[in-house]
Amino acid sequence: MTASALTRPGERDRLVIKIGQIDWTFCFLVCLIAGMGGLMLYSIAKASWEPWAMKHMTRFGLCMALLLVLALVDVRVWFASAYPVYAVAFLLLLAVPFVGEVSLGARRWLNLHFVRIQPSEIMKIGLVLALARFYHGLSAAEAKLSWKLLVPAAMILVPVGLVAKQPDLGTAILLAATGGAVMILAGLSMRLVAVGGLGAVVAVPPFVLFVMHGYQRDRILTFLHPEQNPSGAGYHILQSKIALGSGGLLGKGFGLGSQSQLNFLPEKHTDFIFATLAEEFGFVGCFTILALFAAVILIALRTASLSHSHFGRLAASGVISTFALYVFINAAMVMGLAPVVGVPMPLLSYGGTVMITVMVGFGLIQSVRVHRYTEVTSGKGALV
Amino acid sequence: MSSEPHIFFNEVNERQGVFHRRALMAGGLTALGVLGLSGRLMELQLVENNRYKLLSASNQYNYRLVPPPRGRVLDRNGVELASNRPTFRLLVSRDEVGGNVDETLDEVSKVISIPADKRKQLIRDFTQAGRYVPVVVAEDLSWDEFARVNARLPELPGVTPDMGEVRVYNFGGAFAHVVGYVSKVSETDLQHAAEDEDQLLLHHPGFRIGKQGVEKSLDVMLRGKSGGQKVEVDARGRVVHKDPGGDVKPTAGKDVVLTLDADIQNRALEVFGEESGAAVVMDCRNGDVLCMLSAPSFDPNSFVKGVGGKEYAALTGYDHKPLFNKALTATYPPGSTFKTMVALAALENGYDPNIVHVCNRAWPWGGRVWHCDESHGAQNLHGAIATSCDIYFYQCALSLGPNKIAAVAREFGLGEIFDLGIPGQKPGLVPDTDYKKRTFKKDPVWHPGETPSMGIGQGYLHLNPMQLAVQAARLANGNKAIQPRLIHSIGGVLQPRNETAPDLPFKRENIDFVRSAMAAVTSGNGTAARVANLGLGSILMAGKTGTAQGRNYAGGRGVHGTNGAWELRDHAWFIAFAPSDNPRYALSVLVEHGGFGAGAAAPRAREIMRVTLLKDPEIRAMIEKPLPMPAFPQTDPNSPAEGAAPPLPTDANGNPVADPMPL
């Protein structure tokens, strides 16, 4: 790729040049996925734009605009705001147990009167930014194995603990995994990764038995033996598998998925929308959407690799890690390969919060791309 | 090292290199993940597709049971004795009204009235029924009410109008004992029907099972086979769509045709009035039972809905026993009707019918005095039957002994259970010396003093009205031991009739002797001379009266005639056949505690026989003289019309009367 204009400091600050540098293929793929989501939401509302499809598409449109705006924000601004965003998210998370609103048995929301926010979502961006910011000032050797790594470890584990306490196991896992991914991408010793992985495997059974809430434990046990309780806790998994399996190669046809149309499939418009898609469009549809997701992930990883700044690399790859984790955890859950944790399918599932998080993240990725030659020199985050 | 990290070029490259390698790894992992997920998708969607398709279909589709229409019960002329009528009802399920049962009932009662006690019952039903099980809020709505509800349906969420079928017995009580009735399925019924095919049908809330009579004995054939309505349901089991293409049509139950004639049966019920008793009419040529009535009766329709406690208590508490089929289940001493059997036994055993005994109202024998109604004077066998002289038959019976009489009686179906196809027959008893030996261990000897009682149809003898009708029919037939036949056809398949009936092992002249004596009963100075006059011109009825002692006059103070308490009176019998010269129909009539046979039973028998004869087109032709031909006004109006001038068009059929069934 020749990017002569971009390499000239004066030229690359011009808006027209910047807009030209946005990855439009990426944006197009994202639009395709979200459009598919809108289509499915239209279908399961029995061929109606209400109550989901219209809102979903409107939100996506607004978020797309936000993405484009954020793509033009100088990467040094992102760099400078990294710690502040993390700090704000952290404070809000601390506040949740005291002033948060209870919804569906968990205290996750903060009501700021003009808007209700979920601090854990801000934390998803904040954590990635803060980690990238921290690693930006670390040498390869230090990133591999040093006492300094206790700082990112703490940066990850404290908010994870807070979120898990809400309780929101899905987001906690997501945060922990995202943090871990950034650490690995930054060059963490693979031996340590292996030991950590082993430790995690060993730690799971006691965690499940002694730390988890009853309903969370039920979900795990149900995942292991779904047939034991087909109408109770195993219902979700069983119905989801029926929806998937009955789709076959080409699916039952748009609007003809009996599992979702007749409400056998629970949470068909949110967490289980992939099963709806699988039922109506079959293996071909599923594979297409998975390929789209893979394309988005791979393009984002390449975008990260293109960046000249370590901050840019880690921020972009961190964000796409979150996205990839969403996709894989949700798909595995729907296919009965993972326990039911409340993780939606990004861009497909109905729901504004995750959409904003993901699209802000994509904005960051595009910003990294647009500003890939921008030097981020100071460990202190000076703009120039 | 300073606090500001010195980032050297090689170090920058190293960090970048590590990142590139790790990013490449991440890309590889992503591809691996997608491949893994695709593999799982292939497993679910391609390999196990059929299995999940089935599971999905069983989620989506359900078959709602459609009960089959129950087979009808028809009389010999195709008149519906039991059929089905549509019923309109309203169903409400608790789930669909969101638990607002009270509100819904308020709304419904704005359209149709719901009495306060019914409402209380409904609330109880709602709490007992499952969340999704619909409760019948109103049943048997008129078309007007049903239409009104349908029009307001948008204002009545959760209320489902429904059309079903309910059994109806068109003649009320007339056929209640023969046809029986259907009622709600009980636990016992379920146990008995555990082997039946269509178990689901048994559990359908609208299904009713046969409890009595034909409805019970032919229940399985009347039921038919239930169908299915293919419906699409949502996760809560509510019907979203109907799929008429996938419906399985129910197979209607088989129609059962009886040999009964509704007109005769209705007339029989009519003539019994308030009295208790039974009447059985048979075609003596082929055994068809034209009438089998037990009186008083009850309305089987109230059993279909579920008879109320009060009504049921009244039915069971009434001493006339309306629930009982007296034609089959109740046995009584036959009284003097049995003298026909004694006389035939005597003739068969070489007894000279011209032997004369003198009746002085009293006859001392065996250390006691035997009585008669009146002083008949000197009579031979023929006269003794006509006047029903007890003193003659005491002596006649003594000359035979019990075994010879019993042997003849059994040839006439007395003490026998017939293959009628409905339950409830009691065999009664025709005693002989063996019977005494078997039954009375302390006193196994037949005492000579027991024979005179048997000779006048008392003592151990007790029989049911069906058996007496068969006796009369075999006497009237004269040749064949015909069997009674009640079920004409099931689902169009004719049931066997008396083609292979064995011959009666008696000399024809002896039977003719008894028959002529029975003709004398209804003429001259016979016991039923006036009361048995049919009033049908030359068509006459022959018969025999019976007045059977229900209670011992000495001990229980039984009462002769119609004096005294009802339950102490004698039973009145009449057996008869007509036309007496060429018999076609035979009957038996029992009036329980009716007093004299000639007073209570014979007049009723006459009315029943009249209608029976008038229903026979050939007999009718003989009674209704043809109009005189205009060209020959001098035609003798008294000569019978047979083979003469063309009769009225209605009488024109020259079909043999052997099977007058139009079916």
Side-chain angles (χ1 to χ4, degrees), chain B residues 339 351-361 371-396 513 517 520-521 523-527 544:
Chain B
K339 286 169 184 163
Y351 184 90
D352 180 359
N354 294 318
I355 290 177
V356 170
H357 292 295
V358 180
C359 167
N360 293 320
R361 283 203 75 165
H371 292 276
C372 191
D373 288 354
E374 48 188 296
S375 181
H376 293 107
Q379 285 187 117
N380 60 11
L381 184 58
H382 186 276
I385 293 174
T387 59
S388 200
C389 177
D390 287 352
I391 286 174
Y392 190 99
F393 276 94
Y394 294 144
Q395 298 170 65
C396 182
F513 179 92
V521 168
S523 62
N525 64 344
T527 50
K544 180 71 195 83

Side-chain angles (χ1 to χ4, degrees), chain A residues 185-260:
Chain A
L185 284 163
L188 187 67
S189 155
M190 283 316 259
R191 269 184 219 158
L192 194 65
V193 173
V195 172
L198 211 69
V201 169
V202 173
V204 162
F207 178 75
V208 168
L209 288 178
F210 303 116
V211 185
M212 276 184 160
H213 287 262
Y215 78 94
Q216 292 171 331
R217 190 160 49 236
D218 279 351
R219 282 180 182 176
I220 305 290
L221 294 177
T222 299
F223 162 67
L224 296 173
H225 307 284
E227 62 287 343
Q228 272 179 6
N229 193 1
S231 59
Y235 182 81
H236 285 54
I237 290 179
L238 184 70
Q239 294 302 333
S240 173
K241 277 162 83 175
I242 292 176
L244 274 153
S246 61
L249 180 67
L250 295 171
K252 296 177 182 169
F254 183 61
L256 298 174
S258 60
Q259 285 288 104
S260 44

Side-chain angles (χ1 to χ4, degrees), chain A residues 136-156:
Chain A
H136 185 73
L138 234 54
S139 69
E142 284 169 331
K144 189 173 183 192
L145 196 62
S146 72
W147 290 111
K148 286 189 178 175
L149 292 185
L150 286 178
V151 178
M155 283 163 83
I156 297 164

